[in-house]
Amino acid sequence: MIIQKTSNSRIQNLDKDNISFGSTFIDHMLVCEYENGKWGEVRIMPYGSFSFSPAMMCLNYGQACFEGMKAYKDQKGQVFLFRPEKNFERINKSAKRLAMPEVTREMFVEGLKALVDIDRAWIPQGEGFSLYIRPLIFATEEALMARESNKYMFAIIASPAKAYYSAPVSVLISDYYSRAANGGIGFAKAAGNYAAAFYPTQLANEAGYEQIIWTDDATHGYFEESGTMNVFVRVEDTIYTPPVSERILDGITRDSFIELAKRRGMEVVVDKIPVQFVINAHKEGTLKEIWGVGTAVVSNRFKAMGYKGERLTLPLLSDEESYAENLKKELIGIQSNQQEDPFGWRVLVEEGVAHK
Ligand code: COI
């Protein structure tokens, strides 16, 4: 690994109380280039721009995927990653589906630890704060042939963060647009999945909703995801969430919520959620809460739901009564080392590891 440190730190400009998500970047980034069938040396260097050709393949054909993960600083200043192996496995699943080379554990996990170690001063301390980390792989060959690229870049950039969305949001249940289809790339964190969601989301915004609940492309009769999040529904005291599939992202926050809920003895049903089941539960007064989960947001409750021209107001339980809030609190407690970690999810970033 080659480490080239900046002589011009920008950290004095960091105003942790006025952070807007993903717009300020730490002093360094990690990069590694793929050419002639192999990855080159990992480099940690000052964060900055590259110059690329407009014929670069990821720009023309969207051959790009990414991950979202976080580092946390506890009250003693120790730094932790959360389940980084899961992100490592998932980026390689995405890469494989997009015909891109897989990255090595050395590049991803060890490289990430070194980057976070070098810029540990950038990780804001305190409730809800974290460092949002964005590993990405993209095609860099200058060529317009519609085939996989021969050159790639793997990069890791990171941005200090507070909560992504905070207030409960309103969601429109999609009965036309789909996020994914069988045989497609819904399970991958492909950049194009997000681009394809922007237009339907704009339409939902115009109709007075902040997010979409994606339904299956075949029937639009079942919940799949919500916005960029996995979705959970609570009816009475049972939590429902759809199983991961070819169309649904295998969310690490999703998996953590399921594990934490089961550990508390809550009933969790991982099964298809018919839209009609949720609408009926709302009518009968048994629908207690709906929420989305993801790395950036952790969890976000929904306050209203649009379906076939009707706007249904959802109950908003107190934080004490809400499963979404209780589980979120516990998860953040584990991530930031304020609670014991019964699952062994936290990974300490040792001080000085970059130079070992
Ligand atoms: C994440 O939670 O990491 C996401 O994928 C959301 C992101 C697109 C902001």
Side-chain angles (χ1 to χ4, degrees), residues 5 8 12 37 64 113 144 191 221 236 252 255 265 275 282 286 327 344:
K5 286 209 191 161
N8 211 354
Q12 70 283 355
K113 283 183 187 164
L144 294 183
E236 299 281 23
I252 296 154
D255 183 71
V275 175
H282 181 266
T286 53
L327 293 169

Side-chain angles (χ1 to χ4, degrees), residues 72-80 124-127 333 336-339:
Y72 307 82
K73 190 177 272 175
D74 74 3
Q75 284 141 344
K76 288 196 246 151
Q78 300 183 101
V79 171
F80 298 91
Q125 213 162 11
E127 179 94 33
S336 53
N337 196 27
Q338 286 166 46
Q339 286 198 18

Side-chain angles (χ1 to χ4, degrees), residues 189-205:
K189 239 172 142 57
N193 283 337
Y194 295 78
F198 296 156
Y199 178 65
T201 306
Q202 268 179 357
L203 297 181
N205 295 160

Side-chain angles (χ1 to χ4, degrees), residues 177-198:
Y177 290 100
S178 300
R179 185 190 160 273
N182 282 335
I185 56 171
F187 69 90
K189 239 172 142 57
N193 283 337
Y194 295 78
F198 296 156

Side-chain angles (χ1 to χ4, degrees), residues 21 66 68 132 134 164 189 194 228 294-297:
F21 179 80
F66 67 93
Y132 183 77
R134 172 58 60 87
Y164 183 45
K189 239 172 142 57
Y194 295 78
T228 61
T295 299
V297 30

Side-chain angles (χ1 to χ4, degrees), residues 131-310:
L131 181 71
Y132 183 77
I133 301 164
R134 172 58 60 87
L136 64 159
I137 312 175
F138 55 99
T140 52
E141 189 181 343
E142 188 177 15
L144 294 183
M145 288 288 285
R147 53 148 172 81
E148 77 279 12
S149 171
N150 287 312
K151 293 184 185 174
Y152 297 89
M153 179 173 275
F154 169 62
I156 307 179
I157 56 174
S159 173
K162 53 179 186 181
Y164 183 45
Y165 323 103
S166 38
V169 293
S170 56
V171 290
L172 180 65
I173 299 176
S174 175
D175 56 8
Y176 179 70
Y177 290 100
S178 300
R179 185 190 160 273
N182 282 335
I185 56 171
F187 69 90
K189 239 172 142 57
N193 283 337
Y194 295 78
F198 296 156
Y199 178 65
T201 306
Q202 268 179 357
L203 297 181
N205 295 160
E206 282 163 20
Y209 297 92
E210 287 147 278
Q211 295 283 335
I212 290 188
I213 291 197
W214 302 102
T215 50
D216 67 297
D217 65 298
T219 68
H220 296 290
Y222 297 90
F223 277 23
E224 300 237 301
E225 293 191 20
S226 59
T228 61
M229 303 175 281
N230 290 112
V231 65
F232 285 80
V233 174
R234 172 178 165 197
V235 175
E236 299 281 23
D237 287 338
T238 303
I239 300 172
Y240 298 83
T241 193
V244 294
S245 70
E246 276 186 278
R247 304 182 308 272
I248 299 181
L249 188 85
D250 189 357
I252 296 154
T253 312
R254 170 190 176 279
D255 183 71
S256 307
F257 262 69
I258 294 173
E259 292 303 319
L260 289 175
K262 284 187 180 162
R263 189 165 167 272
R264 284 183 177 221
M266 292 170 175
E267 197 181 340
V268 183
V269 177
V270 178
D271 201 358
K272 289 164 84 173
I273 304 177
V275 175
Q276 211 48 56
F277 167 73
V278 180
I279 303 290
N280 290 345
H282 181 266
K283 269 198 206 117
E284 286 158 14
T286 53
L287 177 64
K288 295 277 175 62
E289 48 186 332
I290 310 186
W291 69 95
V293 306
T295 299
V297 30
V298 187
S299 88
N300 200 193
R301 289 198 275 166
F302 301 160
K303 62 179 182 196
M305 176 171 77
Y307 188 57
K308 300 227 185 270
E310 232 189 303

